Amino acid sequence: MAGTRFAILVLAVGVAASAALVSRASVASSRITVYAAASLTNVFPKIDARPRYSFGGSNTLAAQIEQGAPADVFASADSVLPRQLFAKRLCSKPVVFARNQLIVVVPRSNPAGIRRVSDLAGSGVKIVIADAGVPVGSYTLQVLKRLDLTDGVLANVVSRETDVREVLAKVALGEADAGFVYATDAKAAGPKVKVVKIPGRAQPRIAYAMCVVGSGSHTRAARAFVHEVLGKRGQAQLRKAGFLPRPKSKRR
Amino acid sequence: MFVRRLLLAVLLAGAAALALAFLVLPLVAIFVHASPGRLLSQLSSPVATDAFVVTLKTSVGAQALIVLFGTPTAYLIATRRFVGRSLAITLVELPLVLPPAVAGIGLLAAFGRVGLLGDSLGALGITLPFTQAAVVIAVAYVASPLYVRQAIAAFETVDPNLVAASRTLGAGPSRTFARVVLPLARAGLAAGLALSFARGLGEFGATIMFAGSLQGVTQTLPLAIYAQFDQAQGFDAAVALGAALVLVSLVLLLSLRLLLSWPSSSSTRSSFRFGLSTSG
C-alpha cells in the first residue's frame, strides 16, 4: 500500500522532471548564441563577452546548423560555408568581416629543423594538418599545390584534425613537428611555437564571413552582434589579434 | 484498491515503454535514414573499408594485450589475499569511470614524445603518438577494465576444492590452471572479452587525442564517423558506418547473452559435467 503510493510518487516526479527538461530545452534564453570558427576562440569574447559561444571547425558548425542547431550567428573561417547556408535559406546574406593568412608552426624546440616550407617534405617529418573539409585544411591543400609540395608533404602527414586549434595544440605540445594554421593562431599560442612563413605567391585568399542564422530566435540582437564585429572596436580587436582588415569594398 | 493497482500497472508500463522507445529510436532512425542499397554502397567506399581494416587490426591487437596481461592480473587478484589488493582492484577499474579524453591526455603525458617516458622511448627509436600502436594502446587502456572485472568474477567462482583436488592428484599449478581453472572460468572470460571488444570498437576520445586521425593508419570507425559527419556529402557515409557499428555491437551483445547462459561455472555439478564433456 505504502509501496504503491511511493512508486506512483517516484513515477510522477520522474514525469514532471522530464517534462521540465523538455520545456527547458525549447525555452529561449536572453543571450544570443554565436557559432564561430575555432580560430576566433580568443578574439570574439574580447569583442563581446555576452553571447554564448560555440567554437569549432567551421564545417562542423555549418553541419550542426543544417541539422537545426540553435545558433543566432554563424562566423566561418571562409565565405563558402556561409554562402552555402545562405543558398539554402538558412542564414542571411554573408558579410566578410576579416581576413587571415596561413603559416606553418613548429614547436619552439623545432625538433625537425624546419626553416622553409620545402623542408616539410623531408623524410621523417611528422606533420599535422586539418581535414580537407575544414576551411584551414582546404587552404593548406591550396598552398601545397601552388608550391608543388602536395605529394612530398602529404606523405608526411600523420594526422588530419577536425579544427585548426587541434592542429595548433598537437604542435604546441611538441608531439608533431609542424602544422598549418592561421597567423592568428600562432599569435595565440605565444612562445610555445615558432612561425615559418609561407611565400606570398602561395598564400590563399582567406576571407572570414558571417551571417545571421534564420532559425535563431534573436534576429535583432544577432544583427547587432554582426554590426559590433564590423564596427570600429570589433575591427580593432581583430587587428590586435593578428587578423587582416576586411576588404574595403563595403558591399553588404 | 483495485483502481490504484491498475493505475500503478499503467504507469509502470508507460514508463517502461517510454524508456525503451527513447533507447531504440535513435537506432531505428539510423536505419530509416539509410536504405540497405545506399548503405552497402557507402560501406564499400575507401574511407569505410580503411576504417574497418584499421578498427579490426587495432581491436585484435588491443584485445590480445588485454587477455595476455589481464588474465594473470585477474587471477592473482581473484585468488590471493595481499596488502593493497583493494587498491589494485580500484586501479584496474579506474579507466572504466575515467572520461576517455582524460585517458587521452594521460597517455600523451606518459607516452608522448615530450611525455614522461618520451625520452626513454625516443632513445629506443620509438615514437608512439600518431601510430597504429597508439590506437592499440588507447583502446587497451580504455577497454581493459571490462575484461579484467569479468575475469576476476569468473576466477572467484571457480570452486577451490576442485583446484585442491587437482593438486592432490598430482597436477602442478600451471597444469591445474590450464586444465581445471581456465575451462571452468571460460564462459566468464569470453563474456568479458566480448564486452571489452565492444567497448574498444567504440573508443573515440583517447584515440583522437593520442593517435590522431589519418585514413588507413589511425582512423578507426568512430573517428571516420566523426570526420565524415561534417563533410559536404558525408552525413550519409557517417550514418552508414554508424549502422554497421550498431549491427556489430548487437551481434556482440547477443553472443554475450549466449555465453552467459552457458552452464553456470559456479555450480560444481554442472561445471564438473562441463569439464567431462570438454575432456572427453
Side-chain angles (χ1 to χ4, degrees):
Chain A
M1 192 60 195
T4 315
R5 220 174 264 166
F6 178 71
I8 291 178
L9 185 72
V10 167
L11 280 170
V13 168
V15 169
S18 28
L21 198 74
V22 169
S23 66
R24 271 306 284 189
S26 58
V27 162
S29 90
S30 55
R31 294 154 79 202
I32 62 165
T33 303
V34 175
Y35 276 35
S39 46
L40 298 164
T41 304
N42 302 73
V43 65
F44 261 21
K46 283 186 190 152
I47 295 176
D48 190 341
R50 286 169 301 173
R52 229 191 321 240
Y53 288 105
S54 173
F55 295 106
S58 301
N59 57 327
T60 308
L61 301 175
Q64 286 172 349
I65 289 172
E66 278 193 43
Q67 300 285 329
D72 297 303
V73 175
F74 175 48
S76 174
D78 68 3
S79 51
V80 178
L81 289 164
R83 250 188 278 140
Q84 283 170 354
L85 288 186
F86 175 59
K88 289 179 187 164
R89 293 162 179 260
L90 288 170
C91 82
S92 66
K93 192 165 169 27
V95 45
V96 173
F97 65 94
R99 287 179 302 136
N100 213 339
Q101 280 195 305
L102 206 66
I103 48 137
V104 172
V105 280
V106 299
R108 191 172 44 182
S109 59
N110 197 0
I114 308 289
R115 306 200 183 288
R116 285 178 302 261
V117 180
S118 55
D119 293 343
L120 296 178
S123 76
V125 182
K126 287 180 185 296
I127 301 171
V128 188
I129 65 176
D131 211 54
V134 193
V136 69
S138 88
Y139 296 141
T140 303
L141 296 181
Q142 284 176 40
V143 166
L144 293 177
K145 200 171 169 196
R146 286 184 196 172
L147 293 175
D148 207 13
L149 284 171
T150 305
D151 293 342
V153 170
L154 287 192
N156 282 339
V157 167
V158 292
S159 183
R160 292 179 177 234
E161 304 289 329
T162 51
D163 72 49
V164 67
R165 288 301 167 105
E166 298 289 323
V167 177
L168 183 70
K170 299 242 153 99
V171 175
L173 266 174
E175 297 299 347
D177 294 325
F180 283 83
V181 300
Y182 299 116
T184 50
D185 297 306
K187 212 166 166 176
K192 284 186 187 158
V193 296
K194 280 202 267 190
V195 170
V196 176
K197 287 223 163 96
I198 290 170
R201 67 191 158 86
Q203 271 299 335
R205 284 179 51 83
I206 304 177
Y208 283 53
M210 66 200 298
C211 58
V212 172
V213 180
S215 61
S217 48
H218 305 93
T219 324
R220 208 158 176 201
R223 260 190 247 125
F225 178 81
V226 173
H227 277 293
E228 207 176 356
V229 172
L230 294 174
K232 222 176 211 167
R233 232 178 52 79
Q235 290 293 306
Q237 284 289 356
L238 282 165
R239 264 199 301 280
K240 215 169 118 192
F243 286 91
L244 302 173
R246 66 201 188 98
K248 274 281 174 263
S249 59
K250 269 195 181 171
R251 283 188 49 216
R252 290 231 39 212
Chain B
M1 193 64 203
F2 172 74
V3 175
R4 198 166 272 178
R5 256 197 214 147
L6 188 69
L7 184 65
L8 181 69
V10 168
L11 275 173
L12 277 178
L18 268 179
L20 281 179
F22 170 67
L23 293 177
V24 170
L25 193 63
L27 305 182
V28 171
I30 284 181
F31 287 96
V32 168
H33 189 94
S35 65
R38 261 221 317 238
L39 213 137
L40 281 179
S41 75
Q42 292 285 1
L43 287 181
S44 54
S45 71
V47 173
T49 50
D50 280 354
F52 269 111
V53 172
V54 170
T55 307
L56 196 66
K57 268 163 88 175
T58 53
S59 287
V60 168
Q63 299 310 327
L65 282 180
I66 290 173
V67 169
L68 205 63
F69 290 95
T71 313
T73 309
Y75 188 61
L76 188 80
I77 291 175
T79 55
R80 306 284 196 280
R81 297 291 172 268
F82 53 90
V83 183
R85 180 174 172 269
S86 44
L87 178 69
I89 294 179
T90 310
L91 290 180
V92 156
E93 291 182 347
L94 194 58
L96 197 65
V97 290
L98 211 61
V102 177
I105 289 279
L107 289 172
L108 266 181
F111 303 110
R113 215 157 59 159
V114 290
L116 277 180
L117 301 181
D119 284 340
S120 336
L121 288 171
L124 299 170
I126 303 171
T127 31
L128 287 175
F130 307 122
T131 61
Q132 226 161 47
V135 182
V136 171
I137 291 173
V139 171
Y141 191 87
V142 172
S144 62
L146 288 161
Y147 174 75
V148 177
R149 268 164 58 111
Q150 193 79 35
I152 293 174
F155 286 135
E156 274 175 344
T157 55
V158 173
D159 186 347
N161 290 325
L162 290 176
V163 178
S166 161
R167 296 300 303 280
T168 52
L169 291 173
S174 45
R175 193 173 151 81
T176 302
F177 183 76
R179 301 299 294 272
V180 178
V181 178
L182 268 190
L184 289 179
R186 203 166 66 169
L189 295 182
L193 190 62
L195 271 179
S196 142
F197 195 81
R199 172 65 187 89
L201 285 182
E203 196 346 83
F204 178 83
T207 308
I208 203 164
M209 293 186 108
F210 186 47
S213 171
L214 189 66
Q215 188 187 334
V217 183
T218 56
Q219 192 174 73
T220 57
L221 281 168
L223 299 193
I225 290 176
Y226 188 63
Q228 287 298 310
F229 163 69
D230 45 28
Q231 302 284 319
Q233 306 300 327
F235 193 72
D236 287 348
V239 168
L241 288 172
L245 266 184
V246 170
L247 289 179
V248 172
S249 307
L250 204 63
V251 168
L252 275 172
L253 212 56
L254 284 177
S255 46
L256 180 74
R257 287 238 152 267
L258 280 178
L259 282 171
L260 288 178
S261 62
W262 274 8
S264 138
S265 48
S266 61
S267 124
T268 311
R269 237 191 89 216
S270 62
S271 30
F272 187 56
R273 205 160 10 105
F274 188 52
L276 273 182
S277 65
T278 44
S279 61

